[in-house]
Amino acid sequence: MHERSSVDELAKQLRSELDRYSAGGKLPSSRSLVERFRVSPVTVARALAQLAAEGLVVTRPGAGAFRAQPRTPAAPAGDTSWQEVALSADGSADLVPRTVDASGVTICLAAPPPGVLEFSGGYPHPSLQPERALAAALARAGRRPGAWERPPLEGLPELREWFARGIGGGVTAAEVLIAAGGQTALATALRALAPPGAPVLVESPTYPGMLALARAAGLRPVPVPVDPDGVRPALLADAFRCSGARVFVCQPLFQNPTGAVLAPGRRAEVLRIAREAGAFVVEDDFIRRLVHTDSGPLPPPLAADDPDGVVVHVASLTKATSPSFRVSALAARGPVLERLRAIQVVDTFFVPRPLQEAALELVGSPAWPRHLRSLSAELTTRRTAMTAALRLRLPELALPHVPSGGYHLWLRLPDGADESALTAAALRAGVAVIPGRPYFSAEPPAAHIRVSFAAVSTTADITEGVRRLRTACDEIL
């Protein structure tokens, strides 16, 4: 049984038995709970922690768990209706409303209901994460001399150097800032490069979290279509000319959601077009380490071919490790680097030093290349299983591009199909998928869904999930 569901079931059982104990009464020992319910000590500890977080029990190291004292009645709810007026007035002069719509992001982050297979996930399944290597790295990091001291504001020099070497092209550690995850780095870049109300060019389709960041900053996303070879340079030049934008955000490698890789002949064109427009390119290199075994040599980051400081590069360790291991880098050349640094310091001060030390321990260990090789092989197997299952059971869903990296597929629905209805039907059938609409900043050219092959536990789950999706398609299409 999946660890998460075991924890939830044990917590539910213990919650139902709390009335047996008086306030302050001692619950059975962890050892007795392990023996009674035939679960692991970790499951017991997590279930008790869940009850403690709900205020139902109190845990005391060395003494055990006790039923909590009765809660004080909640204070009467206040009247927050005044905020509707205050927030509306605050945005009345904005060229672009700065409302925050997180729906496109939360659908990738939220766990599906029990029994529903997760084709919607934005991160690899825990079985694909290097949990032991991460635990060992954290333990070693915590024992490093000075590990709990304040780090340099820009990040540890050794970690900045490691990211700089990964970018290449003469990028130095002095041109790298350590940030708290790719989303934070993107937010910093957008704030640094464009004032509220300005247009920002984005790939179409593109990552919903980036669209949400842009809109929350008061920016106006302008779409530039992507094909299997990446963004189309002629349309990019047109978009710069028509919009007056000074920023273009792109994912040149295994683009989300299409999986496209920017073709060699287009790389120099994109940089030239941006340079002539006096614009920056924000390169979101979020998934370079989730390469498949059949991909061949990877192209270097755009930043490696950019001596003029056009590219602001974002790299992250999160996708290849764990959703909670939020360590990333921002790299830039020229005066913009100081602006990025100032915004980051104001927003977050710095990334916690123990996390940076753990990142150094992890990437410097023999376990790191072993994990990347294992992850690459498993992602390739899963992609192959999903593409085969889709072609067999759902040939009416077009798969225009099979990516050689990443963790998902982008499927076009038949003309006239309702992707929202299909998403709802899929959930009823027991599989969660992501509708395509949130990936477009303007009207989409067709209905799509995105399906992940990395968030479920096995290839058998992939086959079963496609079967359930077939059931949903039979209901809707």
Side-chain angles (χ1 to χ4, degrees):
M1 181 178 293
H2 194 286
E3 179 69 21
R4 184 168 61 196
S5 61
S6 298
V7 170
D8 291 341
E9 290 176 10
L10 179 57
K12 180 180 179 181
Q13 182 63 34
L14 295 177
R15 198 180 292 112
S16 69
E17 297 179 1
L18 282 178
D19 288 340
R20 300 180 185 178
Y21 308 95
S22 60
K26 191 174 188 299
L27 275 64
S29 68
S30 295
R31 178 176 297 179
S32 65
L33 292 174
V34 167
E35 294 174 353
R36 176 185 169 193
F37 293 102
R38 299 184 182 278
V39 295
S40 71
V42 172
T43 298
V44 170
R46 290 180 176 175
L48 291 174
Q50 185 171 316
L51 296 183
E54 296 171 8
L56 299 177
V57 303
V58 176
T59 57
R60 299 170 188 164
F66 303 81
R67 183 177 177 182
Q69 298 293 334
R71 298 180 181 180
T72 304
D79 179 7
T80 61
S81 57
W82 64 272
Q83 293 186 6
E84 295 183 41
V85 177
L87 293 173
S88 298
D90 180 63
S92 60
D94 289 345
L95 296 177
V96 179
R98 300 184 73 176
T99 54
V100 181
D101 179 6
S103 58
V105 181
T106 55
I107 195 172
C108 298
L109 298 177
V116 174
L117 293 174
E118 190 175 2
F119 280 8
S120 56
Y123 296 97
H125 187 267
S127 64
L128 302 181
Q129 298 170 15
E131 290 188 350
R132 290 185 179 179
L134 284 168
L138 282 167
R140 293 193 301 270
R143 295 192 297 268
R144 282 187 170 198
W148 297 91
E149 295 178 1
R150 183 178 60 195
L153 297 181
E154 300 83 358
L156 297 180
E158 301 90 341
L159 188 56
R160 296 164 68 199
E161 176 62 33
W162 183 84
F163 274 110
R165 287 198 306 271
I167 299 169
V171 173
T172 68
E175 295 165 333
V176 174
L177 306 172
I178 301 303
Q183 189 76 351
T184 297
L186 285 172
T188 298
L190 288 177
R191 284 186 58 196
L193 302 177
V200 56
L201 304 188
V202 300
E203 295 172 314
S204 182
T206 192
Y207 164 53
M210 197 281 300
L211 294 177
L213 282 175
R215 290 171 177 142
L219 305 179
R220 177 167 53 87
V222 177
V224 185
V226 169
D227 65 21
D229 288 327
V231 70
R232 297 168 59 181
L235 296 180
L236 178 65
D238 289 343
F240 272 125
R241 183 168 54 254
C242 295
S243 68
R246 292 294 178 265
V247 181
F248 170 48
V249 184
C250 64
Q251 295 173 332
L253 187 66
F254 310 136
Q255 196 258 0
N256 185 3
T258 66
V261 175
L262 187 62
R266 294 186 180 184
R267 290 168 57 89
E269 275 290 280
V270 167
L271 294 179
R272 179 189 63 78
I273 290 167
R275 180 70 182 85
E276 290 178 355
F280 289 96
V281 174
V282 178
E283 179 184 25
D284 183 10
D285 199 22
F286 74 112
I287 207 166
R288 180 168 291 272
R289 294 172 183 87
L290 269 63
V291 63
H292 300 169
T293 56
D294 56 1
S295 72
L298 294 183
L302 290 180
D305 298 326
D306 168 42
D308 298 328
V310 172
V311 178
V312 173
H313 179 87
V314 176
S316 175
L317 287 173
T318 303
K319 291 292 186 186
T321 55
S322 160
S324 293
F325 200 66
R326 307 203 63 76
V327 178
S328 66
L330 266 170
R333 286 172 164 159
V336 71
L337 181 65
E338 182 55 34
R339 183 179 293 186
L340 292 166
R341 177 185 179 276
I343 291 174
Q344 179 168 291
V345 168
V346 169
D347 283 352
T348 62
F349 289 2
F350 47 77
V351 176
R353 183 164 189 152
L355 200 57
Q356 295 189 55
E357 298 279 8
L360 278 172
E361 289 283 354
L362 177 67
V363 300
S365 72
W368 179 241
R370 287 200 303 268
H371 164 65
L372 293 181
R373 288 193 298 270
S374 173
L375 180 61
S376 176
E378 183 63 24
L379 289 174
T380 306
T381 299
R382 288 163 174 253
R383 182 209 63 197
T384 301
M386 180 170 273
T387 53
L390 288 167
R391 286 167 173 161
L392 176 64
R393 289 185 174 271
L394 289 162
E396 65 269 43
L397 302 188
L399 177 57
H401 177 66
V402 177
S404 57
Y407 54 90
H408 59 262
L409 301 175
W410 181 241
L411 303 174
R412 177 169 174 159
L413 306 187
D415 290 344
D418 185 335
E419 66 184 37
S420 297
L422 178 58
T423 303
L427 197 58
R428 291 194 296 271
V431 59
V433 301
I434 300 181
R437 182 64 185 89
Y439 290 83
F440 293 92
S441 60
E443 292 79 6
H448 294 80
I449 58 172
R450 199 195 78 164
V451 291
S452 168
F453 48 80
V456 293
S457 60
T458 65
T459 53
D461 285 341
I462 292 174
T463 303
E464 172 61 17
V466 172
R467 187 195 68 78
R468 296 180 186 186
L469 188 55
R470 170 75 271 173
T471 299
C473 287
D474 287 342
E475 176 186 340
I476 298 299
L477 301 183

